[in-house]
């Protein structure tokens, strides 16, 4: 028997009550999931982070090689700076919507997976179902990497991975790549009355940011892939900080910027062009005044693009389970590209809508959870018939 909606909601309430903001430990949530799975005779492997403050979980219903991995992340984005109508860590049902941090991204999916465990465990499955729960997805998809690294050694490599990120239960076979950078411009301080003695770090940072915008314009006019929105790679600056006082030529300025590239884009194109402009055009001008002036470019996070291969078994499976005719793409990054790179055909399909993720009063519709439960029970049926 598939679980009732109230069972799913009860599980979701428990998951939401753990404050698993990426900066915090997720160990209590993982312990809860492990104990829950133990109750159905399903053993879990925990893969701790280097500092031991977090862990991911891999659990197999019916052991064996291959199998279908159903994957979620346990962490969520912060609530700081957001105005919530209710306690974000207390799930609240109103008008068919379940409000709470992580309800959409992506504890709703995990609640559906856990609620389906009794059904999975009661079936004579022909192949394994593996439950995967990661951490630090929201900060560069770093937590799942050690787990994936163990596929084929002490963990089986799933034959298919379903990443349950919010897609309104539509089938997603691609997303862009993400690269984030920090750039630090170091110039030379001087009195603002004698600016020619200094190197204005903010002004040079501004020139670099103009170059970011020029690169963006080049990509917008040269690339086109209508499967993506927008149909080209994009880049933009996100934050900037610099200077000490209005009467001092600033000697430092730093800014963070991000690139979202089409899967087929040359991964280094943007960085190469940005670096060339920094080193060949700006640095000589800066160092003529202050030989120690510098522009430092640090890579922060990088999440590979995801593009399912033509005829992907993962996409075919998700299409069959949802009854959809075709797959589409999303404009956010996920762990899917990492699974695909590791040789697991992957698809993204899960409850909730991007508009409700990461915002104040995040919610998931109960109808979405119902649709996900029916997706998972069809999966159980398919694997046992
Ligand atoms: Zn997510």
């Amino acid at each position: 028997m598939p679980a009732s909606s109230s069972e799913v909601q009860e599980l979701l309430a428990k998951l939401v009550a753990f404050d698993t903001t990426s900066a915090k430990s997720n160990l209590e949530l993982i312990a809860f999931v492990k104990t829950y799975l133990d109750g159905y005779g399903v053993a879990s492997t925990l893969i701790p982070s280097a500092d031991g403050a977090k862990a991911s979980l891999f659990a197999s219903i019916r052991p064996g090689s291959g199998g279908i991995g159903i994957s979620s992340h346990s962490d969520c984005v912060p609530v700081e700076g957001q105005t919530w109508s209710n306690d974000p860590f207390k799930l609240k049902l109103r008008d068919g919507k379940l409000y709470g941090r992580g309800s959409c991204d992506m504890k709703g999916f995990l609640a559906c997976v856990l609620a389906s465990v009794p059904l999975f465990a009661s079936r004579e499955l022909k192949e394994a179902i593996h439950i995967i729960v990661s951490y630090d997805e929201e900060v560069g998809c770093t937590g799942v990497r050690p787990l994936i690294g163990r596929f084929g050694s002490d963990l089986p490599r799933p034959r298919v991975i379903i990443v349950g990120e919010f897609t309104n239960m539509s089938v997603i076979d691609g997303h862009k790549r993400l690269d984030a950078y920090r750039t630090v411009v170091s110039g030379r301080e001087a009195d603002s009355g004698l600016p020619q003695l200094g190197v204005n770090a903010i002004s040079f940072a501004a020139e670099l940011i103009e170059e970011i915008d020029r690169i963006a314009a080049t990509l917008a006019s040269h690339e086109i892939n209508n499967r993506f929105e927008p149909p080209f790679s994009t880049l933009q600056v996100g934050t900037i900080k610099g200077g000490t006082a209005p009467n001092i030529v600033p000697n430092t300025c730093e800014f963070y910027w991000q690139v979202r590239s089409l899967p087929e884009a040359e991964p280094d194109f943007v960085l190469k062009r940005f670096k060339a402009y920094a080193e060949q055009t700006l640095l000589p001008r800066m160092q003529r005044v202050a030989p120690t002036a510098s522009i430092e470019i640090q890579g922060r996070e990088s999440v590979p693009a995801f593009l399912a291969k033509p005829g992907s078994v993962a996409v075919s499976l998700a299409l069959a389970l949802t009854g959809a005719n075709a797959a589409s793409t999303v404009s956010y990054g996920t762990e899917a590209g990492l699974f695909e790179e590791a040789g697991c055909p992957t698809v993204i399909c899960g409850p909730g809508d991007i508009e409700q993720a990461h915002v104040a009063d995040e919610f998931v519709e109960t109808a979405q959870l119902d649709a996900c439960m029916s997706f998972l029970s069809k999966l159980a049926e398919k694997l046992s018939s």
Side-chain angles (χ1 to χ4, degrees):
M1 266 278 288
S4 70
S5 343
S6 65
E7 285 170 282
V8 180
Q9 287 177 32
E10 235 167 80
L11 280 163
L12 181 54
K14 285 183 178 143
L15 295 172
V16 165
F18 296 107
D19 176 1
T20 50
T21 307
S22 306
K24 297 184 179 165
S25 170
N26 74 338
L27 292 180
E28 283 182 26
L29 180 148
I30 291 293
F32 168 77
V33 173
K34 183 183 178 301
T35 306
Y36 177 89
L37 294 173
D38 283 345
Y40 293 95
V42 178
S44 307
T45 303
L46 303 192
I47 298 103
S49 60
D51 65 0
K54 297 170 188 175
S56 55
L57 176 147
F58 187 99
S60 302
I61 298 164
R62 185 194 177 286
S65 59
I68 311 297
I70 40 184
S71 181
S72 55
H73 61 81
S74 60
D75 59 320
C76 43
V77 295
V79 295
E80 278 73 36
Q82 299 185 334
T83 309
W84 283 69
S85 311
N86 293 291
D87 183 346
F89 300 105
K90 232 171 147 180
L91 192 71
K92 190 171 171 66
L93 174 65
R94 203 171 57 226
D95 304 330
K97 295 166 182 167
L98 290 154
Y99 291 86
R101 172 52 84 225
S103 55
C104 170
D105 184 13
M106 60 178 291
K107 292 176 174 175
F109 180 73
L110 179 55
C112 291
V113 169
L114 295 181
S116 301
V117 167
L119 175 71
F120 293 156
S122 70
R123 290 299 189 94
E124 280 286 329
L125 297 177
K126 282 182 304 185
E127 61 177 323
I129 292 179
H130 309 289
I131 295 170
I132 298 169
V133 185
S134 72
Y135 59 90
D136 282 357
E137 189 273 346
E138 300 289 359
V139 289
C141 295
T142 50
V144 79
R145 296 176 203 228
L147 182 148
I148 292 175
R150 285 164 67 165
F151 284 175
S153 55
D154 65 332
L155 297 179
R157 185 184 308 277
R159 181 175 71 80
V160 160
I161 297 271
I162 299 167
V163 173
E165 290 277 10
F166 44 88
T167 68
N168 279 317
M169 293 309 296
S170 42
V171 177
I172 300 300
D173 67 354
H175 63 63
K176 291 178 181 175
R177 176 187 171 89
L178 180 153
D179 292 287
Y181 301 96
R182 172 177 183 242
T183 296
V184 183
V185 181
S186 303
R188 183 158 81 188
E189 238 167 24
D191 187 284
S192 57
L194 297 168
Q196 75 279 12
L197 300 182
V199 174
N200 191 315
I202 293 179
S203 295
F204 281 100
E207 292 197 45
L208 284 166
I209 291 166
E210 278 178 30
E211 177 67 3
I212 286 178
D213 293 342
R214 280 191 295 269
I215 300 171
T218 305
L219 294 171
S221 60
H222 283 79
E223 290 183 336
I224 185 132
N225 181 338
N226 284 319
R227 291 209 63 220
F228 292 87
E229 171 57 34
F232 42 81
S233 305
T234 58
L235 59 153
Q236 59 122 28
V237 63
T239 65
I240 184 163
K241 191 170 86 189
T244 37
N247 59 352
I248 301 173
V249 174
N251 68 353
T252 174
C253 182
E254 63 169 74
F255 59 93
Y256 285 80
W257 52 290
Q258 263 198 3
V259 189
R260 305 289 184 106
S261 317
L262 289 173
E264 66 270 27
E266 192 193 314
D268 281 350
F269 170 80
V270 169
L271 187 61
K272 269 194 205 151
R273 192 171 137 178
F274 182 79
K275 255 189 169 158
Y277 182 74
E279 287 165 9
Q280 290 158 29
T281 306
L282 297 189
L283 257 191
R285 277 169 51 205
M286 294 164 71
Q287 292 181 340
R288 221 171 288 145
V289 180
T292 57
S294 64
I295 298 171
E296 204 189 322
I297 305 159
Q298 305 165 349
R300 302 300 282 184
E301 44 181 279
S302 188
V303 179
F306 164 53
L307 193 62
K309 294 197 172 64
S312 158
V313 288
V315 174
S316 310
L317 173 66
L319 290 174
L321 295 176
T322 56
N325 298 319
S328 49
T329 67
V330 286
S331 52
Y332 52 85
T334 73
E335 297 168 337
L338 293 165
F339 286 117
E340 189 79 32
E341 275 182 358
C344 305
T346 301
V347 66
I348 310 172
C349 184
D353 190 290
I354 187 172
E355 285 189 22
Q356 278 97 53
H358 295 203
V359 296
D361 292 342
E362 172 178 351
F363 69 82
V364 66
E365 288 178 4
T366 54
Q368 281 290 303
L369 298 182
D370 293 344
C372 183
M373 287 305 290
S374 119
F375 176 89
L376 292 170
S377 81
K378 279 184 194 147
L379 174 67
E381 221 169 276
K382 197 163 182 83
L383 295 182
S384 45
S385 57

